[in-house]
Each structure stands twice: as C-alpha cells, then as structure tokens.
Amino acid sequence: MKMNKWLVLVSVLVLAFPVSAQVSLQTVTGAQQNVNTTQGVFGAPNVTGGAQSLSREQLMQAQLAAQSQQMDLSQYIQSNGNSTGRNFNAQQQIAMAANRADDGKPKPYGHNLFTSGFVAERSDGLNSQYRVSPGDKIAMQMWGAVVRSQIITVDNQGNIFVPDVGPIRVKDIPATHLNAVVTESIKQIYPNNVNVYINLLTATPVSVYVSGPVQRPGQYAGLASDSVLFFLISAGGIDPQRGSYRNVSIIRDGETLITYDIYDFLKNGKLESFSFKDNDVVLVAEQGPMITVEGSARYPFRFELKPESRSGSDLIAYSRPLNKTTHVAVTGNRPHGPISVYVPFEEFEAFEVEDGDVVLFNDDIRPKVISVQISGSYEGPSFYSLKKGTRLVDMLSYVAIDPDSANFENVYIKRKSVAQQQKQLLEQSLQRLERSVFTAPASSDGEALIRSREAQLVAQFIERARKVKPLGKVIVADNNNVANIRLEQGDEIVIPERTDVIQVSGEVMMPQALVYNENANIEDYIAWAAGFTERAEAEQVLVIHANGLSRFVTLDSNNFWLDGDGEATLKPGDQILVLPKVDTKLMQSVKDITQILYQIAVTANAVID
C-alpha cells in the first residue's frame, strides 16, 4: 500500500444552522512511504517508545501546562488586590474559599488552632506530665517494719512532711516520678523492711486571667501544668483581626516571665512548658504587621511578621510557595503612595514588605512540552509528551498502527477548548429558550394554562439538555486529506477502527448496527431498523461520518435523500442519527427547540426527547 502527497483540507465544526463549514488550510506534503504490517499512521516506520524519550521533569511540566495561564496584572492591581489575576482550578478555588474569613479576606495563619472545639482533659484533672504544686494532696502508704497510712498536703514551700523522715521536696516533680522520689527519701531513713507507695490524689486548680485581643477575655480555671494554649482556647482563641500570634506573654506580679511565639509551635512544634499560679495573666499583644499571601503557595493565609523580620525570605519561610513559582506581585501602600511591583522570585527574597501588603506568588512558566493522548485503533503508548508547537501529521508519524484495522484516513481530534466553547454556545441557546418561554404573554386563562404546561415541558427538556457533554471534535480529515494543524495541551487524537457496519440510532424502532451495503441508501438502512418511530423527524436525519464530520440530509420530492452536494452517500463506519420531531401543536418555541436538538446531535452525537 502506498500513500501519495496529500492536499490538506480541514473541516471546522460550527454550532449554528447550517451546522458545518469547511476551512481550507495550507498544503502539507509528505514523502511517499511504503506501509508495512505495523507502521506509523502516515508512513513513518514505528519508533520504539514513540516520543517517550523525554525526561520525567518534562512529562510533569506537560501535565501542568494546562493550568499555566498568563496573569492579567492590570486586573489584579485595579481590584486593589482582591483578584489574583488568573483562573484557578476547582480544587484551588475550594481551598482558597475555605481559608477566607467572613469579610472575604484570607484567614490568619494558625486560625484553625482555636476552631477544633475540643480540649483534651482527663476527668480527674490529672495527666502523666502534671507537676506537683503547693496544695496538692498525696496519699502515702507504708508497711513492713513501719506501718503508716496518711494523706499529706504539699505546703507552700513545695514540701511534704513525713514523720521520722522530715520534709521532702516534691514541687515541680512530674506525677509519674513522684513515687520514686518520695520512696528514695524514705529509704535513706528506713533502708530495710519498709515498703512505700505514693499516689497523687488531687491537683489544686489555679485561676488565670486571659486578657488582650481574645474572643472572651476573663478569668479561667485550670491546672498549674496546663499549657498556655489551654487558657487561650478557654478564652475562645486569639481575635483574628486584632490579636497577635507572635507575642503572647505570661505576667506575674507585673513582671513578664515568658513570651510565646505561636508560630514556633505551628511550624516547629516548640511550646515551652510553664507552671501557672493563681492570678497569673496571659496577655495577648496587639497584632503586628499583616501580609496577605495568595496564588501558588501552600499556605495562602494572612501572616503576621515581626517588625524586625519583614523581608520576603521571612514570608517565604512561612507561606512555602510552590516550586513552579517564578514571579511575585506585591501591592500595597507606602508613605509616598500606593505601590505595585512584579519581580522575579529570587529578587523578592530581599524585598521588604509592609503592613497591609498583598503578595501574589505566580507561576509564569512557559511549558516547552505538551501532552496528548491517543485513542481508538493504535499500537504502543497512549500518552505522548511532545515539543510545544508539534503538528498533527508530524506526531502521527510516530504512532504505530495496523493499517488493516486502523481507519487512519479519518483521524480527528477531541479538544477541551472546543468542547468548552460548544458547551457555552449550547447554554446560550438554552437561556434564550428559557426567556422566550417563561416570558411569553397569555391573552386568556386557557392560553395561560397552555403556556404553563409548555413551560413545565421546556424546563424538563432544558434540565436534560444541560447535562449533555459536547465532544469538542475538530474535523481535520476529509477525502483522504489531513490537516497538519498545531496540537494543543490535552488534545485527544482519535484514530477510528475500520468497520463494515452502519450504526442506526435515535428515533427508529430498532436501533442497531447493520452491515454496510454499497447499493443501499439511507432509507434502506432505516427500513432495516424497523422504520421511524411516531416521534421521528422523518424528513431530515443526521449522518455522522467516521472522520467526525456531521451532515444533515433531507428527503426531496422524488424520495431521494440529499445533502448539500447532491444525493447522500454512506461509507462504512458512518452513523445515521434520527432526531425527534417537535410537535408544533403543543410547543410555541419549535424553532428554538429544534435548533438546540441539532446542536446536541452535532456536538455530542446524542439525541434527547
């Protein structure tokens, strides 16, 4: 089998009636090739692995190519930082929405620390890390040469007094070590034949004040060994708009004993222990400079930076931008007026941010490769990474096929961008139909009843129509000519199977696949499918060719099925689709509904009643 030079002709699908148009492209010349049992689609010998020699990094870059879009910085600036200037995918939109407060601004970093609604506390008020404090009660049992059983209270100096032994210091000893410490002291006096068992019975609660920008400032009871987080949670947490996560102090008798940076706990798990006493004060300071982070970052929150640490590198350490980040947009205000800058990521590390700045981490990556998929009749890999700008015929030279089973002359493309456009046009048609039906006037009660019933039927029709998913077909082959068009990210190249049947579906009595007969016409195939149903549009049917091109054919006065070029001819692999007929007696918007039915049939190769 030999293949001659081809003149490229592409047919472009148009979502209007008439439903198809042809647009010619430049001529593509291919060298004459001998086709063996297994070869490339257009004659090039099969290359092992196809175009799969690219690196894993290039493959990952190709998979991310569809998500990489150019940022409209002017839109971002004009929106005063409320717009990221790019379209995020569904998962990113959900994550960003969950991280925003009621006022629409991102929530502060660490806000979920106080939203769990659960405080881990044992019912007896004790835990294994509790440290003994004055006022605690301890049960002591001694048996053997000395028998004694008593309950001892820890005095103000942090000691317990054991007769014949003296004071034993137990303050700040963990509850799990209490028995060993007391036993060791008693053994120094009674080294033999005396057994000791010590148990901490009750812990003395302390009363601590929580003040500053918290949700519910006031006085709260806890244990001396409780963490500062326990008292902050008891007070409802830090106020996200006014309180500081970087400056939480413990004050006793007017003196600051310790200052906590909650960010150290959130990022590194560091939280220094502290033994509280009655009347201690947990003071949350006023909020410091806040920087809003958006875009390609793992933590798109509002971050509080310390006055002495406001460089871009400090913000990067907390927000953790993704590896694909290449540039950073910063908008904000300075004493001399508003600013808006767009700098490379490396330069941003030394950039000094100010309170109220909005920082957008952006991925301005221009992918050098794209990924496409092969489906239908082919051999070898189904996924290819290609250099950006690769054209269809060049790529298909590396796809292995069996020429006896692959109908490579009728290859076509399913393109996501085309499917989205088809969906938008269909939605526009459905919206026009809704307006025309739901706003139609009625001159009488009887007509109003009819319009109401019609509106219900149309609403059901629209509901089903909105569920239709267009295929996004791009017709690139016709009359054994294939357009060498530029491929796009995510394209699916379909190579149909060779077949000897004609599919008859839609409004026929027995939808089925029939063996192709070169002497039969459309009317014969419909007759072999038991004829039209009562709801069929008998004067016009849709023929879908193997290359994806759709043509409406009509019955003339001599009972011949014709298309725009004369008598309609069928080829193996074609599909005959009979559409339903809209009853003009029941429906006012027959023309609109009919056009929508045509659109659905052409774009999705489907029929809805």
Side-chain angles (χ1 to χ4, degrees):
M1 176 180 178
K2 293 185 178 181
M3 303 180 66
N4 298 323
K5 298 180 180 180
W6 289 351
L7 176 65
V8 173
L9 183 65
V10 63
S11 299
V12 180
L13 188 62
V14 180
L15 287 180
F17 191 80
V19 295
S20 63
Q22 292 182 345
V23 179
S24 61
L25 299 182
Q26 72 274 16
T27 302
V28 176
T29 303
Q32 187 171 340
Q33 301 280 351
N34 290 328
V35 181
N36 300 321
T37 303
T38 302
Q39 60 174 26
V41 174
F42 292 120
N46 180 22
V47 179
T48 304
Q52 301 299 303
S53 60
L54 298 176
S55 66
R56 181 176 181 84
E57 289 75 13
Q58 290 175 315
L59 179 62
M60 296 176 63
Q61 188 180 26
Q63 294 172 334
L64 294 172
Q67 301 177 6
S68 180
Q69 303 176 14
Q70 185 174 1
M71 186 190 74
D72 183 0
L73 188 58
S74 63
Q75 177 186 357
Y76 179 82
I77 297 172
Q78 294 170 5
S79 64
N80 196 24
N82 293 327
S83 171
T84 61
R86 58 187 291 111
N87 295 324
F88 295 94
N89 59 39
Q91 292 182 345
Q92 288 175 315
Q93 291 175 351
I94 293 173
M96 291 174 62
N99 292 334
R100 291 191 178 273
D102 295 337
D103 57 1
K105 297 180 180 179
K107 296 180 181 179
Y109 176 63
H111 70 95
N112 53 349
L113 183 63
F114 306 112
T115 59
S116 63
F118 175 76
V119 179
E121 181 181 3
R122 290 178 47 147
S123 59
D124 57 5
L126 300 178
N127 61 72
S128 59
Q129 298 302 318
Y130 176 78
R131 295 180 179 272
V132 179
S133 300
D136 292 349
K137 296 184 181 302
I138 298 175
M140 181 182 69
Q141 303 286 338
M142 297 175 61
W143 67 96
V146 177
V147 178
R148 184 175 290 124
S149 176
Q150 68 180 110
I151 296 177
I152 309 174
T153 301
V154 181
D155 61 25
N156 291 333
Q157 300 181 34
N159 301 322
I160 60 173
F161 186 85
V162 179
D164 300 330
V165 175
I168 301 175
R169 185 167 183 82
V170 295
K171 181 182 178 181
D172 294 332
I173 294 176
T176 53
H177 299 164
L178 181 60
N179 185 68
V181 171
V182 176
T183 299
E184 181 181 359
S185 298
I186 294 176
K187 288 289 187 180
Q188 294 178 2
I189 305 300
Y190 301 107
N192 300 315
N193 300 325
V194 175
N195 298 304
V196 182
Y197 179 76
I198 302 296
N199 182 42
L200 179 63
L201 292 180
T202 60
T204 304
V206 295
S207 179
V208 175
Y209 295 94
V210 182
S211 182
V214 294
Q215 299 289 359
R216 298 186 300 272
Q219 186 178 15
Y220 294 91
L223 300 179
S225 62
D226 283 333
S227 71
V228 65
L229 293 180
F230 172 84
F231 293 102
L232 289 175
I233 294 174
S234 299
I238 298 173
D239 189 309
Q241 302 299 328
R242 300 179 294 115
S244 173
Y245 283 72
R246 312 297 305 271
N247 189 1
V248 180
S249 302
I250 310 298
I251 300 175
R252 180 178 297 167
D253 297 329
E255 181 182 354
T256 300
L257 300 182
I258 187 173
T259 299
Y260 289 95
D261 185 347
I262 304 300
Y263 279 18
D264 285 344
F265 170 73
L266 294 171
K267 188 170 179 63
N268 305 314
K270 296 180 180 179
L271 190 68
E272 188 175 349
S273 60
F274 181 80
S275 181
F276 284 91
K277 290 185 176 181
D278 282 334
N279 299 322
D280 282 351
V281 177
V282 178
L283 177 63
V284 177
E286 293 294 330
Q287 193 174 79
M290 295 295 289
I291 314 299
T292 300
V293 172
E294 295 180 343
S296 301
R298 293 178 176 85
Y299 297 94
F301 300 105
R302 287 191 298 125
F303 290 88
E304 179 184 359
L305 298 183
K306 294 183 176 180
E308 66 275 10
S309 303
R310 290 184 287 120
S311 66
S313 58
D314 295 319
L315 187 63
I316 290 172
Y318 289 110
S319 61
R320 297 190 62 205
L322 300 178
N323 291 335
K324 63 180 181 179
T325 301
T326 59
H327 290 77
V328 183
V330 182
T331 59
N333 293 284
R334 298 295 186 271
H336 57 274
I339 69 161
S340 178
V341 297
Y342 193 62
V343 297
F345 182 77
E346 294 76 12
E347 295 183 13
F348 177 72
E349 293 183 356
F351 188 89
E352 186 171 302
V353 293
E354 297 285 350
D355 185 25
D357 282 356
V358 178
V359 176
L360 170 71
F361 291 105
N362 191 37
D363 50 321
D364 266 348
I365 297 176
R366 296 295 178 263
K368 298 180 181 180
V369 295
I370 61 174
S371 58
V372 298
Q373 182 180 357
I374 305 293
S375 63
S377 179
Y378 67 95
E379 298 179 359
S382 62
F383 182 88
Y384 287 82
S385 294
L386 308 172
K387 183 179 179 181
K388 188 176 181 180
T390 301
R391 295 183 177 272
L392 175 62
V393 176
D394 303 329
M395 182 269 172
L396 288 177
S397 298
Y398 294 95
V399 179
I401 63 167
D402 181 355
D404 294 331
S405 61
N407 188 3
F408 55 86
E409 301 93 342
N410 289 315
V411 63
Y412 62 90
I413 296 175
K414 290 182 180 179
R415 181 164 289 176
K416 294 179 180 179
S417 60
V418 174
Q420 292 174 354
Q421 293 173 1
Q422 292 174 343
K423 188 69 174 178
Q424 291 175 359
L425 293 174
L426 177 60
E427 178 62 27
Q428 293 174 6
S429 298
L430 293 173
Q431 290 176 358
R432 286 195 300 269
L433 176 60
E434 283 181 324
R435 288 194 298 268
S436 64
V437 172
F438 297 148
T439 61
S443 58
S444 64
D445 293 341
E447 185 177 358
L449 183 61
I450 295 175
R451 294 288 176 265
S452 176
R453 177 58 177 165
E454 178 183 345
Q456 294 177 6
L457 295 175
V458 171
Q460 296 173 6
F461 170 80
I462 291 174
E463 181 181 0
R464 293 196 299 272
R466 283 199 166 113
K467 297 179 181 179
V468 172
K469 295 182 179 180
L471 300 175
K473 288 184 179 180
V474 179
I475 313 304
V476 297
D478 193 24
N479 297 326
N480 293 333
N481 297 320
V482 176
N484 195 18
I485 68 172
R486 187 187 303 270
L487 296 174
E488 294 183 3
Q489 166 66 26
D491 279 352
E492 179 182 352
I493 302 172
V494 182
I495 305 174
E497 292 271 1
R498 290 194 183 276
T499 180
D500 294 324
V501 300
I502 299 289
Q503 294 280 350
V504 183
S505 59
E507 294 295 335
V508 292
M509 300 297 293
M510 297 178 60
Q512 57 184 306
L514 301 170
V515 177
Y516 171 73
N517 187 331
E518 62 181 4
N519 297 320
N521 57 26
I522 295 176
E523 189 174 19
D524 295 328
Y525 286 104
I526 294 176
W528 292 334
F532 296 110
T533 65
E534 294 180 355
R535 297 177 296 176
E537 175 57 75
E539 296 181 358
Q540 190 174 57
V541 300
L542 180 67
V543 176
I544 304 170
H545 297 293
N547 64 354
L549 184 64
S550 301
R551 287 191 174 98
F552 281 99
V553 295
T554 57
L555 183 66
D556 73 350
S557 57
N558 297 320
N559 291 332
F560 289 105
W561 290 96
L562 304 175
D563 61 9
D565 300 325
E567 185 174 355
T569 57
L570 295 175
K571 296 180 180 179
D574 288 350
Q575 178 183 358
I576 300 173
L577 189 62
V578 180
L579 303 180
K581 184 177 183 180
V582 182
D583 194 337
T584 58
K585 297 179 181 179
L586 296 178
M587 290 292 180
Q588 180 186 24
S589 305
V590 175
K591 182 179 179 181
D592 293 336
I593 295 178
T594 302
Q595 183 176 357
I596 293 173
L597 287 173
Y598 289 170
Q599 288 183 10
I600 293 173
V602 170
T603 61
N605 297 164
V607 173
I608 65 172
D609 295 335

